Each structure stands twice: as structure tokens, then as C-alpha cells.
Amino acid sequence: MDVKVLNTSANEQKLWKQLARLKEISPSLANCVDLERIKRVATDIHFYAENNSDFESQKEGGRGDVYRLAQRIPVVRAIGILNLFRLVASEENLENLLPNDLILDALGGDGVLVRALKQLLPESSIPNILTSDLSEEMIRGAVEYRIPALWQPAQQLLLKDRSMDGVILAYGTHHIPRAQRLIVCKEGFRVLKYGGRFVLHDFEEGSPVARWFKEIVDRYSYTGHDVPHFTREEIASYLIEAEFRSVNVHYVYDPFIISGKSEPELRKNLSRYLMEMYGLYRLKEQMNEENALNFIYERAKEIFQYDYEKVGLDKDFGVSKIAVYEQSGKLKIYTFQLTV
């Protein structure tokens, strides 16, 4: 494939340059790009981005800088990330993942899923993953990690029809406006090979995590977080309308796992992680840093709790509230998150 930088719009030039880089890192992923879509996506990309700048840099009005700071240790979400790839794997078996499997991480940020897998799975089980995102800040971060990445909206992918073995939309799916969610599912269906798997992941509307976003993130982050999450029925309806033949909606265990040498250190590490992850810096305008971290921990401890039986799960499904455990001689603190 001959990749050239054309004398065209600034966005189009960026996409051609990214494609040239992608060809150097992963020719097989580069060959999945539909060259005829580049001009159209370059023209439309700011339509999708104009009301969704949360993950751009602080200079550009977002919280991408501090979000990336929190994501520097990707295995904090090791359990949830492995569960996502288990769902996208053939027969839901991680051992069936192969290096020549082509997987799109459509809301990939700075490549946290790729970076986590490199620490969690043997090289022989790590698929060829294309990280994409609507945020230029996030894609710049992925590039710094030398991860195959493209700046593209999930609503209008650059990829060819039937080019991917799997598609994952995770963690930021609720940022997609409701009017565009079906479009995203249809795009995922379009680029999937026959027999491929599409995983749509989000925090359930009305859940403790949704409450955390509403009461804490929306109130104390500079970007706010007034966006609706998904219901189980909503997810199923989108996938059915997008013409997926087999649709299953179920809960996924997805805790934060933070390590430390003592319980006070664990509490502080967890609070700092949550502050960076969600950009809760308005708290530091209202109180000193120590009090802000204490406030975050106490509210997290109050909010992150689940009644397994109430949602039809076995009581041994996982950790149901913030708790400290000793594992392999190390103390670890778990926050529980249930996702669909």
C-alpha cells in the first residue's frame, strides 16, 4: 500500500501521517484502512469531537493530562481488562487469542488495554490491537508508547468492511451521545469479519458507579460529567438493531486494584488514583490536599458497594465493597465495579 501525505486539509494530513506510521509498526493493521474514507472522516471528525473534549489536554479544556497520569499503571484494572478480552476471544477463552487476530479498541485512549495485556498475557496470546480514539491527546499518548493507533471517531471508522476479528468499546462508551450510540454499534458490525465478536462495555444506569459519576465526578472535576449511562435493555436493543445475530448482556467484574505497604498508604494511593482518573481537582480549591484525599476515600467507600443478590448474582462473584486484602505477601485494596 502506497501511503502519501497529500496537499489537503490539516486533519487529512494528520491521518495520512498516522497511516504511514501504522504501516511501519503493523502492516496488517494498516491494510485494514479504507483509503477512500480518509477524506470523509477528516472532514467530519470535528463534528463528533466538538462537544466531547473531556480527554483533550488541560490547555484545551479537558482532563486528558491527569487521566493519562492515572493510567500510567494499566494493571490497576487487570481483572476487568482480562474479562473484556475473554469476551472477545473465540469460545470466551483467552488461550484462543492469537497474534494474528486483528482487534479494534475503538475507545482506546492512550492504549491502556494494549499496555495491560503486555503485562498480563504471554506474547503468544496477545492479539494485534489497533487503538483508536476521538481525542488527539489520547492518540498522542498511544504514539508515545509506540502502540499502533489512529485518530478516528467510533461513529465513523476508517476501516474496511469485514476487516476486524473483534471490536471492543469500553470504559468511555457513555460519552457517546445517545443519538449516536446505534450508529457506533452499526459501525462495529460493519468492520467485523463474519463470526467476529463485538464487546460493548459500560457502567449500568442507576448503579453505584453511575452514582459516583453523578455525585462526585460531575461536581468536582473541571469538565463535569453530565452524561447518561447504559441500561441492559438499551445495550441489547442497539445490538439487535445493528443486526448482530447472537446478543448476550451480562455483568462483568471490574475492580480497581491498588497496592501499598500499609492500610494508610493504600487509602492514600487509591484516593490519589481516583483524583487523577476523574480529574477531581475542584476539591483542592475547597480544602487542602490531605483533606481532599480523605474526602475522596470516604465517599468512595460509601458509594462503591453492591448487593450481588439484588442484581441476580452469586454472593461470591467478587469483592462487593472497598476492602484491603493480603495477596502474595502484599497488601492490596479493591474497589468493586460492576459493569455490563
Side-chain angles (χ1 to χ4, degrees):
M1 178 177 60
D2 186 19
V3 179
K4 298 179 180 179
V5 178
L6 306 178
N7 184 17
T8 181
S9 71
N11 285 347
E12 192 173 344
Q13 287 186 36
K14 289 176 185 177
L15 293 179
W16 282 109
K17 288 178 180 178
Q18 288 183 15
L19 182 54
R21 176 186 171 275
L22 181 62
K23 184 181 178 184
E24 293 177 0
I25 297 175
S26 176
S28 57
L29 287 173
N31 284 332
C32 294
V33 175
D34 185 341
L35 303 184
E36 293 183 1
R37 290 179 174 270
I38 289 180
K39 180 180 285 289
R40 187 161 67 249
V41 172
T43 300
D44 295 343
I45 195 165
H46 282 305
F47 167 77
Y48 298 109
E50 62 183 356
N51 294 316
N52 195 359
S53 61
D54 285 18
F55 296 100
E56 298 301 342
S57 66
Q58 187 174 4
K59 182 180 179 181
E60 295 167 316
R63 58 182 175 91
D65 318 68
V66 293
Y67 180 82
R68 285 184 58 201
L69 188 62
Q71 299 281 46
R72 66 192 181 276
I73 305 175
V75 292
V76 167
R77 303 194 88 144
I79 292 176
I81 289 171
L82 287 177
N83 279 331
L84 289 176
F85 279 93
R86 187 172 287 110
L87 290 172
V88 86
S90 173
E91 300 178 352
E92 298 189 10
N93 186 341
L94 288 172
E95 292 182 359
N96 291 335
L97 291 174
L98 298 170
N100 60 354
D101 289 338
L102 304 178
I103 307 294
L104 172 65
D105 180 10
L107 305 175
D110 66 350
V112 64
L113 298 193
V114 178
R115 293 186 285 117
L117 281 196
K118 289 181 178 180
Q119 297 183 46
L120 298 170
L121 293 180
E123 191 173 343
S124 60
S125 292
I126 299 177
N128 201 356
I129 302 170
L130 175 62
T131 296
S132 73
D133 205 277
L134 183 59
S135 164
E136 288 191 83
E137 170 73 16
M138 292 295 107
I139 294 301
R140 282 192 289 268
V143 169
E144 289 175 9
Y145 286 114
R146 290 198 55 78
I147 288 171
L150 278 178
W151 178 41
Q152 61 177 344
Q155 298 91 330
Q156 194 172 341
L157 298 171
L158 290 163
L159 303 176
K160 297 174 183 175
D161 295 357
R162 311 290 171 227
S163 57
M164 293 283 113
D165 295 293
V167 175
I168 295 175
L169 283 95
Y171 297 117
T173 319
H174 50 274
H175 286 276
I176 299 169
R178 273 208 167 120
Q180 297 171 16
R181 291 176 179 180
L182 177 58
I183 295 170
V184 168
C185 293
K186 288 183 174 181
E187 273 292 272
F189 183 83
R190 178 184 68 79
V191 303
L192 265 185
K193 295 177 183 177
Y194 294 109
R197 287 172 171 255
F198 178 85
V199 177
L200 191 159
H201 158 290
D202 194 47
F203 311 106
E204 187 175 19
E205 189 69 73
S207 69
V209 182
R211 179 186 168 194
W212 171 262
F213 278 112
K214 182 178 180 180
E215 296 183 12
I216 305 300
V217 182
D218 190 41
R219 187 175 300 173
Y220 298 114
S221 74
Y222 286 123
T223 58
H225 198 278
D226 186 19
V227 295
H229 293 266
F230 283 73
T231 65
R232 293 168 63 91
E233 295 75 19
E234 183 183 3
I235 289 176
S237 68
Y238 291 146
L239 298 183
I240 291 168
E241 193 167 347
E243 300 187 31
F244 287 95
R245 287 180 296 178
S246 177
V247 174
N248 295 295
V249 182
H250 52 81
Y251 290 111
V252 174
Y253 184 47
D254 185 16
F256 294 136
I257 308 170
I258 306 289
S259 298
K261 297 178 181 178
S262 65
E263 289 199 25
E265 182 181 311
L266 282 169
R267 290 195 292 270
K268 183 170 287 188
N269 289 349
L270 173 61
S271 296
R272 192 173 301 282
Y273 178 83
L274 293 173
M275 176 179 280
E276 293 170 352
M277 183 74 170
Y278 300 111
L280 306 178
Y281 286 94
R282 285 191 184 279
L283 284 169
K284 295 174 74 172
E285 297 175 353
Q286 302 175 19
M287 57 188 81
N288 63 39
E289 183 170 339
E290 182 177 354
N291 287 340
L293 293 176
N294 287 335
F295 175 85
I296 290 170
Y297 179 77
E298 292 302 325
R299 291 306 312 273
K301 189 175 180 181
E302 171 199 352
I303 291 172
F304 287 127
Q305 297 191 46
Y306 265 92
D307 183 339
Y308 287 119
E309 294 180 325
K310 187 176 181 180
V311 294
L313 294 170
D314 187 89
K315 63 180 181 180
D316 296 324
F317 183 74
V319 177
S320 61
K321 59 185 179 181
I322 291 181
V324 176
Y325 294 86
E326 184 172 346
Q327 239 181 29
S328 302
K330 295 181 180 179
L331 287 178
K332 297 191 177 185
I333 192 166
Y334 284 70
T335 71
F336 178 74
Q337 295 199 54
L338 194 65
T339 59
V340 292

